[in-house]
Amino acid sequence: MNQKNKSDSTILNSPNRPAPIAMPVLSLSMTDKMYLALMYQEHNRLAFIYTLFCRQDVSGGYYSVADQEVLVFKRSSDAKVYYETLQQIQHHQSATKTYQGLVIYNQELIKQFNNMQH
């Protein structure tokens, strides 16, 4: 090993070297959708996340009428991370007046969503 390679190896293994930065498993916006209801199911080796949400408009507000979306995952572990992240976002959003107003406006859609058998 020549001198340059030896010194590079020493630097890489140095106790003074900062630890690598951990990368997140998932990153989602806290504002692009206001999540009113969520549901998780597994079927035939697939994981499904059903969402009822109001999409953010160009002015930063939210469309009043909720939309539905289904997300499909091959790995349930990935789906569970995504679902738990959505639950955390929904929990945070539920403390806002905007969320509370959207829930009142969409109460019938939320009821229908929660009663659906997927």
Side-chain angles (χ1 to χ4, degrees):
M1 184 189 281
N2 66 32
Q3 186 63 28
K4 180 174 176 14
N5 288 342
K6 186 176 181 183
S7 66
D8 288 347
S9 174
T10 304
I11 292 171
L12 290 175
N13 295 321
S14 169
N16 295 329
R17 181 172 175 242
I21 298 173
M23 297 301 294
V25 174
L26 180 64
S27 175
L28 293 174
S29 170
M30 293 282 290
T31 58
D32 66 341
K33 295 177 182 175
M34 191 70 70
Y35 293 98
L36 306 179
L38 305 169
M39 187 180 309
Y40 177 91
Q41 289 188 337
E42 292 182 23
H43 183 68
N44 289 338
R45 292 184 282 169
L46 294 174
F48 300 88
I49 300 172
Y50 300 89
T51 65
L52 182 68
F53 63 92
C54 291
R55 198 176 306 274
Q56 188 175 41
D57 64 23
V58 293
S59 70
Y62 292 88
Y63 293 103
S64 298
V65 179
D67 288 322
Q68 292 184 38
E69 184 173 68
V70 61
L71 307 161
V72 183
F73 295 82
K74 288 183 179 180
R75 292 177 42 191
S76 63
S77 60
D78 292 341
K80 288 177 183 174
V81 168
Y82 199 99
Y83 182 71
E84 289 173 11
T85 304
L86 290 180
Q87 287 180 311
Q88 289 299 312
I89 291 171
Q90 183 185 32
H91 176 73
H92 175 76
Q93 292 173 338
S94 69
T96 67
K97 288 184 181 193
T98 301
Y99 179 90
Q100 294 163 8
L102 290 170
V103 165
I104 291 168
Y105 189 83
N106 288 284
Q107 63 187 356
E108 188 58 36
L109 287 175
I110 294 169
K111 183 179 176 183
Q112 290 171 10
F113 179 89
N114 289 330
N115 289 332
M116 286 190 328
Q117 297 296 321
H118 296 283

